[in-house]
Every structure is written in C-alpha cells, then in structure tokens.
Amino acid sequence: EEIKTVDISIVVSYCDKSLSWIVEYIGKDFSVKDIAIYSKCGNSDIEGLQQLKELAPIVDVITLPNVGRCDHTFAYWIKEHYKSIDQEMNGNDIVMFLKDNMRYRDTYGIDHVLTQASNSGFGCLIPIGCPCDQCREDGLHATNQQRRDLILRTKKKT
C-alpha cells in the first residue's frame, strides 16, 4: 500500500511505436505526476497519447534530434531537470525511463519495479535471465565495472 503513494514521473524516448502499453502497464492505482515524451523521429501522431493524458495531468511532447538512442534522451532529461530534482521532489518520487516499445514480453509488474526502486534506488522491468546476459542474481543489471569485467572475461575466453 505504501508504494501506491509514490509520485511517478515518466520519461519516454519515442520514435514510432504505440505508447498505449504504458497505460496498461502502470494501471490506474498509481499517481503519475507527469509524462515527458521525447519524439526523436519526427512523428507528431503519437498512438496512445490521449490515453496518457488521462493517466497524468501533465503530458509534454518535446522534439529532439534522432541521435544517441534512448540513452541520449534519458541523459538529456537528467541534464534539464538536475537542479530541480532536489528542490521539487519530496523523496517519495520515482522517475521511470522508458522506450516507446515493450520488446520484452516477460517483465516484472509495476509493484515489483517500484518496490525495487524504493529500496535500492534502481528498479528494472526485465526479470532475471533477460537477454542482455548482464543481470545479477538479484535481478538488477550489472554495474558498468561489472560489464567491463564481463567484456574482459569474454574477450579472454575467445
């Protein structure tokens, strides 16, 4: 029940996929404070936009150049909101960074992801055994150092 009181901000890196899956995934039991959709492929006709407007009181569509994939989008949002994060967020806020597509069929439910994020500062939709082969036993993705170690070990094996 406590997790239902978090304020969620959603940041979407958008190109051309329907965003209606986000409404289905989040559901109506959570408080979505705002949604920022970063359109990177020049598409202004966003499927699922009306549904998102019913989910959150603030839905902004921002156009960005199509560079840097989703990582660029997420870094851009952090840069733009860095100073306001401490001032505006009350410690009960979670920012969800999402791609426009839901390519993984088996994901953790929103309750699990928000609980994970509240407890550790990071949550991931993708369960253990995800196709990235970089997940740890606790379900979190490997850190950058662990990824470098994995890459080095892989290179040594070949």
Side-chain angles (χ1 to χ4, degrees):
E1 285 302 313
E2 184 178 314
I3 203 68
K4 303 256 191 230
T5 64
V6 299
D7 291 323
I8 302 171
S9 293
I10 298 175
V11 178
V12 181
S13 181
Y14 173 76
C15 186
D16 60 4
K17 305 291 185 248
S18 171
L19 300 182
S20 61
W21 73 268
I22 296 171
V23 175
E24 295 169 21
Y25 181 76
I26 301 290
K28 302 273 185 199
D29 294 336
F30 294 95
S31 172
V32 179
K33 182 171 62 174
D34 54 56
I35 300 173
I37 302 167
Y38 288 91
S39 180
K40 298 186 74 160
C41 297
N43 293 327
S44 59
D45 186 22
I46 300 172
E47 185 179 337
L49 182 60
Q50 189 56 43
Q51 293 168 291
L52 291 174
K53 288 181 177 181
E54 294 169 12
L55 185 65
I58 300 169
V59 178
D60 293 319
V61 178
I62 302 102
T63 302
L64 285 180
N66 191 11
V67 296
R69 301 177 51 140
C70 61
D71 299 330
H72 171 266
T73 305
F74 305 152
Y76 180 86
W77 185 92
I78 292 168
K79 177 186 137 303
E80 291 298 307
H81 294 87
Y82 187 77
K83 289 184 180 178
S84 66
I85 289 173
D86 282 339
Q87 297 166 355
E88 295 176 12
M89 295 191 163
N90 62 17
N92 200 31
D93 299 273
I94 291 180
V95 178
M96 294 184 73
F97 295 97
L98 303 171
K99 293 181 179 184
D100 65 355
N101 65 39
M102 185 59 155
R103 71 178 205 185
Y104 300 109
R105 295 181 198 271
D106 298 320
T107 60
Y108 286 123
I110 187 72
D111 289 356
H112 177 85
V113 174
L114 295 179
T115 300
Q116 193 179 43
S118 293
N119 292 338
S120 69
F122 176 80
C124 185
L125 277 67
I126 305 167
I128 297 172
C130 79
C132 79
D133 293 326
Q134 297 176 13
C135 291
R136 304 184 322 208
E137 288 180 16
D138 61 5
L140 295 177
H141 285 280
T143 63
N144 286 338
Q145 183 60 48
Q146 290 167 323
R147 286 188 183 124
R148 281 191 290 276
D149 293 346
L150 177 68
I151 290 167
L152 291 174
R153 275 183 278 164
T154 303
K155 285 182 180 177
K156 288 179 184 175
K157 288 181 182 179
T158 57

